[in-house]
């Protein structure tokens, strides 16, 4: 079975047909879904979905960088208060830096990331990092948390960027539908990352792989991403499935 390590299937985009979509996902050979949180507003719907599909879902908790505003500290504290002794979360995420859409709160994003990385380390939980146009500042914050481990979700960049991340933290790299796009730089990164450090993800409803690019994405498209990874690395689909599922289970303690 394949594991989708990053899907927002709890989003309102799926309210009309979530049951059907989950059925398609399971028949496609995807057996587990990691649901990363966005903010306080998304939390109740994420929890509701996890409760409806308990066997096949796991949740992560965190404040997404694009939702970081002047009141980030209180929001982070309220979200982190979800981590009681018997909490159901397998990771802190998604957290990180995003200076692509708006860099007004860059400073606050760094502080919010720092605080959430601290919680991850003290709880011994992995992190799901979203990093867009902000690798330098992300690495600067990571440097303060030497023990941190996790995944750089939807990773794009150069081979040198992969090495720079590796020097700072024990990281996997999330590969999604971007790997199938025509001018994508991701295929060239895969041999540098290596199959043992690749996690498969859809980031649905976004980033549908070819031939569904631009349409609503869901985890039943994960096999297309696995096939693309297999073809790029000269591996069989079974080898990609075995390695990435093993890695996802190891990182998230599934
Ligand atoms: Zn996401």
């Amino acid at each position: 079975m394949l594991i989708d390590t990053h899907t927002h299937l709890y989003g309102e985009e799926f309210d009309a047909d979530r049951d059907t979509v989950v059925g398609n996902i399971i028949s496609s050979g995807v057996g587990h879904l990691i649901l990363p949180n966005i903010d306080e507003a998304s939390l109740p719907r994420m929890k509701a979905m996890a409760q409806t599909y308990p066997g096949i879902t796991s949740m992560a908790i965190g404040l997404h960088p694009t939702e970081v505003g002047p009141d980030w500290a209180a929001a982070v504290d309220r979200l982190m208060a979800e981590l009681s002794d018997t909490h159901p979360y397998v990771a802190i995420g998604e957290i990180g830096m995003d200076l692509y859409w708006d860099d007004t709160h860059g400073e606050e994003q760094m502080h919010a990331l720092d605080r959430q990385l601290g919680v991850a380390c003290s709880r011994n939980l992995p992190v799901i990092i979203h990093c867009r146009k902000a690798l330098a500042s992300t690495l600067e914050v990571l440097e303060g948390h030497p023990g941190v481990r996790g995944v750089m979700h939807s990773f794009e960049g150069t081979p040198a960027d992969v090495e720079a991340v590796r020097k700072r933290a024990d990281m996997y790299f999330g590969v999604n539908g971007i790997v199938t796009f025509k001018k994508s730089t991701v295929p060239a990164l895969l041999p540098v990352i290596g199959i043992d450090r690749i996690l498969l993800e859809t980031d649905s409803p976004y980033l549908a792989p070819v031939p569904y690019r631009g349409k609503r994405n869901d985890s039943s498209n994960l096999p297309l991403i696995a096939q693309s990874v297999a073809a790029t690395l000269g591996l069989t689909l079974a080898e990609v499935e075995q390695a990435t599922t093993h890695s996802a289970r190891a990182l998230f303690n599934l």
Side-chain angles (χ1 to χ4, degrees), residues 6 8 94 153 203:
H6 198 114
H8 301 280
E94 59 186 289
H153 128 76
D203 201 16

Side-chain angles (χ1 to χ4, degrees), residues 42-65:
S42 65
L43 188 58
R45 26 168 79 246
M46 183 178 78
K47 283 173 153 177
M49 182 182 165
Q51 221 156 48
T52 311
Y53 307 98
I56 59 159
T57 56
S58 297
M59 295 187 289
I61 182 94
L63 183 65
H64 192 288

Side-chain angles (χ1 to χ4, degrees), residues 6-8 10 36-38 64 94 128 130 153-154 201 203-204 206:
H6 198 114
T7 170
H8 301 280
Y10 55 81
N37 188 50
I38 300 289
H64 192 288
E94 59 186 289
I128 299 171
H130 168 111
H153 128 76
S154 193
E201 60 171 57
D203 201 16
S204 47
Y206 314 109

Side-chain angles (χ1 to χ4, degrees), residues 9 15 18 38 60 70 76 88 96 104 107 111 146 180 198-199 209 220 245:
L9 195 59
D15 281 353
R18 190 171 289 104
I38 300 289
V76 164
T104 327
E107 193 82 5
H111 289 309
T180 68
I198 291 172
L199 294 183
S220 68
T245 296

